[in-house]
Amino acid sequence: MGTSTVQITIDNFQEIVEKPGIVLLDFWAEWCGPCKMFAPVFEKAAEQHTDVVFGKIDTEAEQDLAQAVGISAIPTIMVFRDGVLLFRESGALPPQALESIVDQVKKLDMDEVRKKVAEHAHEHGPGCDHDHDHGHDHGHDHEHGPGCDHDH
C-alpha cells in the first residue's frame, strides 16, 4: 500500500466524505481476488490525482461501516463530491473507467447537482410518508384508518 491513499474507518468516514472536494472510496477485503487486482489501479489513480482523496475501507476490519452503507459485493467504489454521493458501483473497474469517473466528477457543476438534490428533497417534503419514522408513538392506542402505514 502506498501513501497516496487514506485508511477509512467508521470513525473518520463521515468527516472525510463531507469534506469539500472529491472523495473516492474503495471497499475491499484481503481475501477478495478482484479487490487485489483493482488495488494497484486505485493506487495509481491516487498518485495521478493528488487533488482527490482516495480512501480505502477494509470491509473485514470495518464490518459495521460496510453494513451501514449497504456494501453487498466487493470491490465497491463510491464517489463523493462536497459530501454528495455521486457514483457507486461494485466490481473491479479497469483503469480507463476509473479515470473517466474521476474526470466526469471533476467536470460536474456542483451547484446544478445541489439544485437537483434540493428538488428531490422538495418532492419528499415534510408530508412525505414513505419509510420515514414519523416519531409518533407506536403504542397502537389510536385508530388505524385507511391511511395508516405501519406494520400490523
Side-chain angles (χ1 to χ4, degrees):
M1 276 262 291
T3 51
S4 34
T5 58
V6 183
Q7 284 294 99
I8 308 283
T9 65
I10 202 155
D11 298 326
N12 67 359
F13 176 80
Q14 203 69 28
E15 176 196 335
I16 286 182
V17 301
E18 287 177 355
K19 279 182 176 176
I22 300 171
V23 179
L24 251 84
L25 301 181
D26 173 19
F27 289 82
W28 65 282
E30 195 56 52
W31 50 262
C32 159
C35 297
K36 286 187 164 167
M37 282 162 39
F38 181 64
V41 172
F42 194 76
E43 195 68 48
K44 193 162 190 285
E47 284 160 18
Q48 286 169 335
H49 299 279
T50 50
D51 54 337
V52 174
V53 175
F54 283 76
K56 293 185 69 92
I57 295 102
D58 178 347
T59 54
E60 285 297 300
E62 295 297 326
Q63 291 181 5
D64 291 347
L65 175 55
Q67 210 172 353
V69 293
I71 300 298
S72 56
I74 50 175
T76 289
I77 302 301
M78 283 188 180
V79 184
F80 291 85
R81 183 167 165 192
D82 300 345
V84 181
L85 176 62
L86 298 170
F87 179 86
R88 174 183 181 145
E89 189 165 310
S90 300
L93 295 169
Q96 303 83 341
L98 186 61
E99 193 59 36
S100 163
I101 291 161
V102 174
D103 286 345
Q104 286 174 43
V105 172
K106 283 185 177 182
K107 286 182 191 138
L108 276 178
D109 177 344
M110 285 310 289
D111 290 336
E112 195 59 38
V113 171
R114 273 188 287 272
K115 208 169 97 186
K116 286 201 173 92
V117 170
E119 279 167 13
H120 184 74
H122 180 73
E123 283 166 27
H124 300 272
C128 163
D129 69 347
H130 19 265
D131 298 335
H132 306 311
D133 184 355
H134 299 298
H136 51 230
D137 182 6
H138 289 295
H140 300 307
D141 53 1
H142 58 272
E143 289 291 324
H144 293 280
C148 170
D149 68 347
H150 27 243
D151 305 323
H152 310 309

